[in-house]
Amino acid sequence: MCSLTPTPSSLLPSAFSKFQLYPPPPPQFPSSSSCYSRLLCRAGSSVQHVSTDLKLVLHDALDASGIDTTHAREFREEFYSQIRRLTEIEKETSICINRHVDLGRTALYIAAEDDSLVSHSSVPLPVDAFISRLDDLSMDYCPHYKPAYDSSPEMFLESIERFLYVHKGFSRANENLFQSRPLYLHSVLTHRSGSAALLSLIYSEIMKMLRLWGLLYFDAEIFFPHDALSLPTGYHKQKSKESDQIHIMTSGNLLVEMLNNLKHAFWPFQHDSNKSLFLRAAHAANCVDKSDFVGESGSEIASAKAAQHRLDRGVWTSVRFGDMRRSLSACERLILLNNNDANEFRDYSILLYHCGLYEQSLEYLNKYQELKNLQDEVISPDPLCSLEDDAADKLMMRLNLIMMEQGWSQPSYSRNFLGNSSEPW
C-alpha cells in the first residue's frame, strides 16, 4: 500500500501527520492472476473472512469479456488489506477511537475500484491525493479553534460542526434521489454533499486528528442519525443517555452501511421499494408467485420486465435503474467483510443468475442454504421472509435443472451482459 506523505503546515509540525494513527500494513499477498484465490481463510489466523473455497467472479468475468480490471483488482486487494485487520472486537469499536483500520483510506479504495469498473480509465483514482484532502480538513480547522479556559466540551464540538457544516458547507444528501455522488468519499470531499455514513466518517477523522494533536481533551462520540435529514453531531460521552447507544457507529457497522448504500443504489431492479432487493430480482426472474404481488401497479411490473430486458440486451447500467457491475462489487465486498451473513450469499447468487453465471450462482446459493441451516430456526412474523424462502427454493430448483442439462457446466462469459462493452451514456 502506498505510504502517505505528511501534509505540510505552518500551524502544526509534520510529526502530527495522519499516518501515525494506524499500524503498518501486514505483508501483502503475492501477486496472482486469480486474486480471490487468496481471499480464503488462512491457517493460524485469528481473523477469518471467507471460510469456503468459493471464488468471487466479477473481475474474472470482466477480464474474459475484454475489460481490463488491473486497477480494480489492485484496489480490491488494498480494501482487503484493511478489513483483514478487523477483529471481532475492532468491528464493535466506535469510529471515533478506531485505530487498526484506516476507514478513510478504506472508503477511498471502495470508490477507486468502482471508478475503474465504470470508467475503464488507464489512470486510477488518486487515493493519496484525496487522503491529503481529508487531512487538510483537520488542518484547516485549527485557525477556527480558539481555546478558552472556560470552554466546555459542548462548545468545542459546536465549533467543529460550525466549521464542517457552515464554513466548509458539507450537507446531507437527499437519500430519496438516485445519486451516486453522495455514496463515494472522493465525491463527498469534492461536492461537499454526502450520506450520513460518509459525513460521520469525515467527522470522526477530524476528531481523531484533533485527539492526536492533544486538542480533543475529553471522551467524545458521534451521534449517527437514522432518519433521512439529520446531520451527524458530536456529544460528550460522559453525559450520554442510554438511548444514545443505538446511535453509536462502530467500524464494522460503518463499512456495512457504506456498502449497503451502494448495493441498494446500484441494484438493477429498482421497482417496488417495499420489498427486499432479493425479492425484486426474484420477481424479474419469475421465481415469485405472481399471486403474492396482488395490487402491484402496472409500472412496477413494467419496470421489472424492462430491467431484465436491459440485461438480456447487454446493457448493464442505466440512469435510475442500477448498475450490475457496482452492485456485484458491493455484494462481493460485503461477503469479504462478513462471511457469516447468509443473505449476502443469497443476494449475490441471484445477481449471478441474472448474469448467466449459473454454476457460480448455484454454488453461492448452496452456501446460503448451509449458513441458513446452521442458524437457529426463528419464525419471523414478516410475510416477506416466507416469500424470500419460497423464491430461494424455486431458484435452487431452477439452477439444479439447468446444471443437469448438458453444456451448462461451464460459465459462458461471452453470452452474458458483461460481454457488451458499449456504454449507454
Side-chain angles (χ1 to χ4, degrees):
M1 183 170 60
C2 299
S3 60
L4 177 62
T5 302
T7 303
S9 173
S10 60
L11 296 173
L12 295 167
S14 60
F16 289 145
S17 63
K18 181 180 178 180
F19 71 89
Q20 292 186 350
L21 281 171
Y22 305 98
Q28 297 296 307
F29 291 105
S31 60
S32 169
S33 60
S34 180
C35 67
Y36 300 119
S37 63
R38 60 177 156 282
L39 303 187
L40 311 177
C41 62
R42 304 176 303 283
S45 172
S46 61
V47 182
Q48 296 184 352
H49 290 281
V50 179
S51 58
T52 76
D53 57 357
L54 297 177
K55 289 179 59 177
L56 305 174
V57 303
L58 175 61
H59 294 162
D60 287 341
L62 289 170
D63 278 338
S65 301
I67 299 173
D68 184 14
T69 61
T70 301
H71 294 315
R73 291 177 184 272
E74 291 174 354
F75 288 124
R76 178 69 68 84
E77 289 178 6
E78 296 286 11
F79 168 80
Y80 182 68
S81 72
Q82 291 289 332
I83 66 168
R84 67 195 290 248
R85 302 170 179 175
L86 277 174
T87 63
E88 292 304 315
I89 294 178
E90 189 68 23
K91 284 183 179 180
E92 300 301 320
T93 301
S94 167
I95 58 175
C96 294
I97 58 176
N98 156 71
R99 292 181 58 86
H100 288 82
V101 178
D102 189 336
L103 294 173
R105 188 172 286 273
T106 304
L108 286 170
Y109 288 145
I110 292 172
E113 180 188 349
D114 282 4
D115 178 76
S116 67
L117 290 176
V118 298
S119 69
H120 302 168
S121 173
S122 60
V123 180
L125 190 76
V127 171
D128 285 337
F130 283 103
I131 286 291
S132 296
R133 184 176 295 191
L134 187 58
D135 289 344
D136 288 344
L137 276 176
S138 302
M139 305 293 282
D140 291 346
Y141 169 74
C142 293
H144 293 263
Y145 174 59
K146 298 177 181 179
Y149 291 108
D150 58 348
S151 178
S152 66
E154 289 75 18
M155 293 178 62
F156 184 89
L157 295 172
E158 182 181 344
S159 71
I160 296 177
E161 289 156 20
R162 186 167 54 250
F163 164 76
L164 187 62
Y165 300 134
V166 179
H167 180 73
K168 287 298 183 181
F170 281 89
S171 63
R172 179 85 179 269
N174 189 337
E175 297 182 0
N176 294 323
L177 299 178
F178 294 88
Q179 298 178 343
S180 61
R181 283 180 178 176
L183 307 180
Y184 292 115
L185 182 56
H186 73 292
S187 293
V188 176
L189 291 172
T190 302
H191 300 284
R192 304 193 180 187
S193 175
S195 65
L198 290 180
L199 291 178
S200 297
L201 188 154
I202 292 171
Y203 198 146
S204 71
E205 291 297 300
I206 293 176
M207 275 190 173
K208 282 185 279 190
M209 291 290 277
L210 296 179
R211 182 177 288 111
L212 180 67
W213 298 333
L215 300 179
L216 184 59
Y217 57 90
F218 57 92
D219 191 5
E221 188 58 79
I222 293 176
F223 185 94
F224 180 83
H226 291 294
D227 58 37
L229 299 174
S230 302
L231 292 166
T233 55
Y235 64 93
H236 191 190
K237 197 169 183 179
Q238 289 185 358
K239 299 181 181 180
S240 63
K241 304 180 293 292
E242 185 176 352
S243 59
D244 294 334
Q245 293 298 313
I246 62 173
H247 294 278
I248 294 178
M249 179 58 72
T250 65
S251 300
N253 287 342
L254 178 72
L255 293 173
V256 170
E257 179 78 10
M258 289 165 48
L259 292 172
N260 270 327
N261 286 342
L262 292 171
K263 180 180 172 182
H264 279 75
F266 297 118
W267 195 257
F269 310 97
Q270 293 287 340
H271 66 287
D272 197 357
S273 59
N274 293 324
K275 292 182 172 60
S276 68
L277 300 181
F278 175 74
L279 277 180
R280 300 181 209 173
H283 184 209
N286 294 319
C287 290
V288 178
D289 187 351
K290 295 299 186 291
S291 63
D292 294 322
F293 285 77
V294 175
E296 188 175 37
S297 68
S299 62
E300 291 170 348
I301 297 174
S303 176
K305 291 181 178 179
Q308 185 58 53
H309 182 60
R310 286 192 305 275
L311 297 182
D312 291 340
R313 291 187 295 113
V315 179
W316 61 84
T317 181
S318 179
V319 177
R320 293 179 59 86
F321 289 107
D323 184 323
M324 181 64 85
R325 296 162 299 181
R326 286 186 278 187
S327 59
L328 280 170
S329 183
C331 286
E332 290 184 351
R333 288 186 292 247
L334 282 166
I335 288 174
L336 291 175
L337 185 62
N338 183 9
N339 64 304
N340 294 319
D341 190 337
N343 289 342
E344 295 300 340
F345 288 87
R346 179 199 63 189
D347 293 352
Y348 186 53
S349 171
I350 200 162
L351 287 184
L352 294 179
Y353 170 83
H354 280 288
C355 296
L357 303 176
Y358 303 122
E359 183 177 4
Q360 292 88 338
S361 176
L362 181 59
E363 289 176 351
Y364 277 93
L365 196 59
N366 282 327
K367 179 60 179 175
Y368 157 73
Q369 292 289 0
E370 292 174 9
L371 287 174
K372 192 168 180 292
N373 292 337
L374 290 175
Q375 297 172 354
D376 294 334
E377 289 294 332
V378 178
I379 300 177
S380 173
D382 189 352
L384 289 182
C385 291
S386 178
L387 287 177
E388 290 175 341
D389 291 342
D390 291 343
D393 291 341
K394 290 179 181 178
L395 180 61
M396 177 74 77
M397 184 182 303
R398 184 179 300 177
L399 287 169
N400 281 317
L401 289 173
I402 290 174
M403 297 307 297
M404 289 172 61
E405 294 290 333
Q406 185 177 4
W408 291 103
S409 59
Q410 297 297 327
S412 181
Y413 295 125
S414 61
R415 299 183 66 256
N416 65 65
F417 72 97
L418 295 168
N420 187 326
S421 60
S422 63
E423 297 291 356
W425 55 78

